[in-house]
Amino acid sequence: MNQDVLLNTGPIALWLMVAGLFFPRLALLIAWLGTGTYPPNPLSDLVNLIAWLFVPRFLMAYYIYINIGPNNLWFWAYIVLGLVGMVGEGGYAHRRIIRRTTVSRDGNTTTTVEEEEV
């Protein structure tokens, strides 16, 4: 397959594609604020806002899908990173470390560390 087809950005600016991989909300906000590079899409403003808040990488993947198509490296990069972000971040909150410092009447302090499964 031709490499140009895999990396084609179509009507979406290259800086938006690259920045969106790392900071999708910020990149879309900058594009929306007036650089004139917000991706063309048929979604209403309310749906754009809700998707921007909750699933910004999947929103970018949708923009790529409707403007360029699914046979593109950018599309699959956004899908994979979106799934990794949804699955990978959930396990982080399962453990919580609690530190308690107790001060006795004579001024001595005691710190206890507990690990708690949430």
Side-chain angles (χ1 to χ4, degrees):
M1 184 170 272
N2 189 359
Q3 184 179 6
D4 294 335
V5 174
L6 287 176
L7 297 175
N8 182 19
T9 61
I12 303 172
L14 180 63
W15 75 265
L16 181 60
M17 297 283 239
V18 174
L21 286 172
F22 301 102
F23 309 105
R25 285 186 190 96
L26 181 64
L28 285 170
L29 179 68
I30 292 170
W32 179 76
L33 284 176
T35 60
T37 56
Y38 200 81
N41 65 80
L43 299 175
S44 69
D45 290 339
L46 180 63
V47 173
N48 274 318
L49 177 66
I50 292 171
W52 177 79
L53 285 172
F54 296 107
V55 286
R57 281 200 178 92
F58 291 118
L59 180 65
M60 280 294 296
Y62 175 72
Y63 293 157
I64 295 166
Y65 179 80
I66 62 172
N67 287 301
I68 305 167
N71 298 330
N72 193 298
L73 189 61
W74 291 108
F75 174 76
W76 291 107
Y78 275 95
I79 293 293
V80 168
L81 285 176
L83 291 173
V84 167
M86 289 178 73
V87 174
E89 293 173 3
Y92 181 73
H94 285 282
R95 283 198 186 103
R96 181 171 44 187
I97 296 177
I98 301 170
R99 287 190 168 91
R100 292 191 177 106
T101 303
T102 312
V103 180
S104 63
R105 291 185 187 265
D106 60 356
N108 293 332
T109 61
T110 306
T111 302
T112 57
V113 178
E114 298 174 14
E115 190 171 313
E116 180 180 281
E117 294 283 330
V118 178

